[in-house]
Every structure is written in C-alpha cells, then in structure tokens.
Amino acid sequence: MSRIVFFLLPLFVSSPSLAQLNCDIGSLPELPDVRWTSLEEVANPVPHCKAAGIIGPEIRFELLLPEDWNGKFVMGGGGGFVGSVQNSSLAYGSLAAGYATVGTDTGHQAGGIDGSWALNNLERLVNFGHQAVHRTAVTAKSVIRDYYDADIEQNYFVGCSRGGGQALMEAQRYPDDFDGIVAGAPAYSWSGLSALGIQIQQAMFPDSSNLSAAIISPAEQALLEGMILSSCDAQDGIEDGILNDPRQCGFSISELPSCSAGDTDECFTDAERAAISKVYSGPTDSRGRPLFYGYPFGGESDNGGWTSWLSGGVQSSTRNNGAQAIPNASFGFSTGIMKNMVFHDANWDFSSYRFDNFDEEVAVMSATLNATNPDLSAYRDNGGKLLIYHGWSDAALTALGSIGYYDQVLDKDPTAREDVQLYMMPGVLHCAGGKGPSMVNFLEVIDQWVASGDAPDELVASYPPGSQRTGTRPLCVYPQIAEYDGSGDSFDASNFSCVNPQ
C-alpha cells in the first residue's frame, strides 16, 4: 500500500530576472468579449505577469503568468458568494511552483455573505452558478497558449466550499475543461443548503425579532460536545477529542440533562433539545419528507464551529463586510439564497416559511446552481480524475452531503471508484482547522494522480504551523478509516492502517 505525504508549503523555483519578462499589454491576445484592464510585472513569490480583465459585462478575473512556467494550468475556486477575484490554488504554492493560474469573482462584486447582487438578475445567477468559471477557464487557457506559444500539458481545478461546488459543477457540466479536479467540502446542493440553514435558524432563533443570541449558548454547546466525546471518543482506541467516524457514535439527544425549571447552561429545555435535534436530523418539508442531510456529531464548541456557522447571535456575529449584522454565517447564506435567488424579495421572512412547496419554489435556482448530477461518465471518458475531501466536523457544509453524493456516483457506476475518490478528515472543520490534522497539498496530489494514472491508497495530513497540536494522521479512501495500531505515538501516521469499518 502506498502512502503519499504532501505538506502545504510553497515550492520555490529559480527564475531569471524580472526584466526578462514579456509583460507588455501588447503581448496579450485580443479575444472576443474580453477586455484587458491591467497588466503588471510582479516579483514575488516568483517573477510573473498579472493580467486582469473582464469577460462579458462583469466577469472579472486575474491571470498570473510565471516567467518559469512548468507547462501546466490550475484554476483556483472561491468561497461563499465569492464577489471578489479569488484563487484558492495560491494557498498550495501554485504560482511559486510554476503554474499559470487564474481566479474569478464569478460575475459580481460584493461581500462573501451578501447575496443581494442576485436580486432580479438572472445573468448574474447563471454566471455565479457555472458560466463564469467555465468562461474564465476557456479564456485563461487561450491566453496561456498564446503567451507561451506552447500547448498546456495538464489543466487542473482546486477549490473548497463554494470552490468545491464549482469543482463538481465543472466535472458535471464542462467535462472538457480540466484533467484533474479537487473538490473540498463542496457546496454542491444549494437547495439542500438553504433548507438545512433555514430550518436550523428557525429553531435557533424562535423569536425572529431578536437575533442577539441563539437558543443554544456556547456553554451548552461545550456541554453537548463533552457528553458526546465522553460517550464515544474512546471507541477508536484513542481519547483525543476526535471522532474517527461520527456515525459510529450511538449518543442520543435523550441523554442530555433536562432543565426542571428555568434555563441554565448546565441543562437543556425542550426547545433547546429540538434545536439540537434539527442540526443532526436535517430538514424536512411540511409532509415530513427529508430534503437534505443533517450534520454529524463533532465540532460543536470549536472555534469555527457552531457559534460561527449555526448559532451565535449578533453580539458575536459575522458582520458581513459592513452589511447588516447577521447572527451566524448559515443565517446569511440561507436567507440570502431564499431572498435573492428563489423569491427575489428582499423582505422575505425566514421565520414563517413552512416548506409546503419547496421543490417547486427552488426549481429554477436549483437547475442553475446545484451540482448534484452523479453521472460523471463524460468527465471520466476524457481521462479526468476527481478527488473530494471533507472534514467530519465541518459546521458550514455537512460532511454527510459529500458522502451522499459520492455514494450516488458509485450507485450510478461502480467503476467510478477508479477515477473518483473521497477522503474524510476526522476532527477537521470547514476546509481546514479543528482538532484533526488538515494540511495536505491537494494540488500536488491531483497532479501526481493525473500524471501517473495511479490513485493514492492513502494520504497523510499534518497540522499547520502554529497549531496547538503537532503530528500526522493518514487520510483513507472512503469508506476506509484510519485504525490505530495500538502502540506508539497516536499523532504519527505510521502507527495507523487504513481498514474497512466494522
């Protein structure tokens, strides 16, 4: 069994002097419906040209062209509602490693949790949903070939969160764009995301006129997580605050201590139990039919967990880049979707919505934004490889959703396992962070997979610099899990084996 170790560190390459760059606006090709806005020489992290332009009316992009090009192209995804030019590949040292790389704002300028740009604007919705990434990729590849006067050896896409959703959309809708795709914690079902978010917010803020604090306090979240860990942490042979697979935990909400009178942080009222249950059980329509997945256990009290994403309150809120204060990020995203992308009503009220005709009401939005198609045959027929990863303790986008999509892909075609792999990350929050190690250079992983044709049996994740913990753990190809061998350092990947769950 091969074990591949990739650390998220910049890879620096030697480069000639900046003066040798062909960084002149005249060196860029004239392309239909593309306007160049600037071109500048940049010295760091390696000498490169930064070309900024606009596709169509308002799809902004920035293309970085390194002097020492490695012959490859990577596009980096964005996060949230995007709204500014973003390129997540740079976090993997793409430019320093010699990749030509591009990012886009997906066709609008706004804060990352502000969806008002989509109100009554179908073109922006289509751009955000899929068209902006595709048009930017096609434009960038054309410029790269012209600029270097050479063919591109490999084309990659890497993204997490919204970028993960963009990644799946590319594999499904534009299978010719990329040879290798990395989809981290993908926001792929916007209908599911909105249903889950709205129903949780209804439970967390039963009085919609008071968003100052959620019904579940941070102290109660800590109590809840402590009881879950007390019940299940040792199941994998290590007491480390990490659930190897939270679905194996048999903890029940009925075990939470009840408040006999009043509300304290040491017990739970019926309303608080109901709110907690809604997080884990997932949304339903008015007839009780499930609409999406709930969250697994994990990360309830972590910094970057429930308080940031699901509960909180305006006193501890995400301020939404100067826009109206919101109690948590899920509130901003789910209400933003329903107001601006479904009902196109800025005054829509989340508290009274009952999901009577949910499927019909979200149909147009879903057809544009959802990347839920499990048929990846066209992408695979082109030789494409798709790597999906997700943190088990992600409070932004439920990890069960990624598992559900992956299962649907394999149900559609069991041979897809040869070209599509899922890695679950125990104890990891949204894209990174948390009690578990999350540091993997997925760009190097997908590059080696595409180049060799051999999928890795497992990866090794480490903790980022400055973390309270150090060490490594293996990431196994789902459904396998990392089993501790029973001796040695429990934060040394060599003391684990990837096994099928019992």
Side-chain angles (χ1 to χ4, degrees), residues 236-277:
D236 58 4
I238 315 168
E239 293 190 44
D240 55 3
I242 299 173
L243 300 179
N244 215 10
D245 183 341
R247 297 172 302 178
Q248 297 177 343
C249 178
F251 181 79
S252 172
I253 302 302
S254 64
E255 299 176 43
L256 295 174
S258 298
C259 290
S260 55
D263 186 9
T264 75
D265 289 335
E266 299 178 354
C267 58
F268 298 86
T269 65
D270 289 344
E272 290 168 344
R273 288 170 181 269
I276 292 169
S277 178

Side-chain angles (χ1 to χ4, degrees), residues 179-251:
D179 305 299
I181 292 175
V182 177
Y188 72 96
S189 175
W190 289 76
S191 54
L193 170 64
S194 57
L196 178 59
I198 292 299
Q199 292 196 12
I200 289 175
Q201 297 310 306
Q202 288 174 339
M204 288 291 180
F205 299 95
D207 179 2
S208 62
S209 66
N210 181 8
L211 302 179
S212 61
I215 193 172
I216 307 296
S217 70
E220 288 168 328
Q221 291 165 194
L223 176 60
L224 169 64
E225 182 177 26
M227 293 189 67
I228 293 171
L229 292 175
S230 178
S231 176
C232 301
D233 188 11
Q235 284 182 343
D236 58 4
I238 315 168
E239 293 190 44
D240 55 3
I242 299 173
L243 300 179
N244 215 10
D245 183 341
R247 297 172 302 178
Q248 297 177 343
C249 178
F251 181 79

Side-chain angles (χ1 to χ4, degrees), residues 122 125 129-130 162 169 172-173 187-195 291 337-338 341-342 344 357-373:
L122 184 58
L125 195 64
H130 57 87
R162 173 58 187 145
M169 184 68 83
Q172 295 167 24
R173 194 181 286 256
Y188 72 96
S189 175
W190 289 76
S191 54
L193 170 64
S194 57
L291 296 173
I337 292 168
M338 299 299 283
M341 303 176 189
V342 175
H344 295 279
N357 302 295
F358 180 73
D359 286 345
E360 294 83 359
E361 288 166 338
V362 301
V364 173
M365 180 271 292
S366 298
T368 305
L369 299 189
N370 283 4
T372 52
N373 185 358

